[in-house]
Amino acid sequence: MRDPLLARMWLHSGTQMNWVQLINWCQGLLARLQATSFSVRTSSATISSAEKVPRSLWKLGRLNHVAIAVPDLEKARSLYKDVLGAQVSETVPLPEHGVYTAFVELGNTKLELLHPLGKRSPIAGFLQKNKAGGMHHVCIEVDDITAAVAELKKTKIRILSEEPKIGAHGKPVIFLHPQDCHGVLVELEQA
């Protein structure tokens, strides 16, 4: 497995991690991000988040969803709806993001099923590397996305677009580069 996060999840206790464990792991990550400071090394100095990201300007909120890239969206929808009994939304195209989405309601959070829309879809590239699909990103809410973008740029966390785009929930979103987030693609969404 090429994705280190997925490899750690598969190796967890020698068995495949189930969805409840995955959600608990993501919520634990969120709690650690909220509770601890981190450092960003730049070419000239180390910047501590405790010093450079004033919590009065913006803060992380709850885990909104875990996104899963799927090669067959209808089969994935059927698995969660018909086999597992979850409430699953209709498929919605998001041309600006190059994806079709469907959401699986889990009570305390959601799964977002992603499928490519168009040949230039970032999900198409992900599925070329991961034929069976897999976890694509985690989405965490923030109370002020504009302040978050400004502060993250100052700390040299790479943002994958110049400005927030409107996401699947009709709210502004940004994506943080996985190399700056311990191998995880992180989506921040305005709460």
Side-chain angles (χ1 to χ4, degrees):
M1 215 174 270
R2 291 186 181 140
D3 184 337
L5 174 63
L6 289 174
R8 284 193 302 274
M9 289 188 305
W10 278 84
L11 294 173
H12 182 266
S13 300
T15 61
Q16 180 180 356
M17 183 180 280
N18 66 36
W19 288 115
V20 173
Q21 291 170 311
L22 174 61
I23 297 303
N24 289 337
W25 180 88
C26 289
Q27 289 174 332
L29 172 65
L30 176 61
R32 286 191 305 277
L33 286 171
Q34 290 173 321
T36 62
S37 62
F38 58 90
S39 296
V40 176
R41 186 172 298 279
T42 66
S43 58
S44 61
T46 299
I47 303 169
S48 167
S49 66
E51 298 167 7
K52 297 296 181 181
V53 182
R55 291 294 176 200
S56 60
L57 293 180
W58 69 279
K59 67 179 181 175
L60 289 173
R62 70 180 192 91
L63 174 67
N64 185 284
H65 64 266
V66 175
I68 304 166
V70 297
D72 186 325
L73 187 54
E74 288 312 308
K75 280 186 181 178
R77 288 183 74 250
S78 178
L79 168 71
Y80 289 100
K81 183 178 181 181
D82 301 331
V83 176
L84 299 176
Q87 181 181 354
V88 180
S89 74
E90 294 299 318
T91 299
V92 176
L94 294 175
E96 185 175 345
H97 295 276
V99 297
Y100 290 101
T101 66
F103 283 92
V104 179
E105 293 292 332
L106 298 177
N108 62 344
T109 192
K110 297 179 280 292
L111 298 178
E112 179 183 31
L113 305 177
L114 299 171
H115 185 74
L117 172 61
K119 294 178 182 176
R120 298 184 64 206
S121 169
I123 301 304
F126 181 90
L127 289 172
Q128 285 177 349
K129 297 175 189 170
N130 305 279
K131 300 291 186 205
M135 192 184 96
H136 185 261
H137 68 268
V138 297
C139 177
I140 303 169
E141 294 176 358
V142 294
D143 65 346
D144 185 342
I145 199 161
T146 303
V149 168
E151 290 298 322
L152 290 167
K153 285 181 178 179
K154 288 179 188 176
T155 60
K156 307 294 186 204
I157 300 291
R158 289 174 284 175
I159 299 172
L160 300 182
S161 62
E162 289 297 315
E163 296 293 325
K165 296 180 181 179
I166 300 300
H169 298 112
K171 298 177 179 183
V173 300
I174 59 166
F175 287 87
L176 308 180
H177 199 291
Q179 289 180 349
D180 297 337
C181 298
H182 306 285
V184 178
L185 179 61
V186 175
E187 177 183 20
L188 298 180
E189 178 180 279
Q190 177 68 49

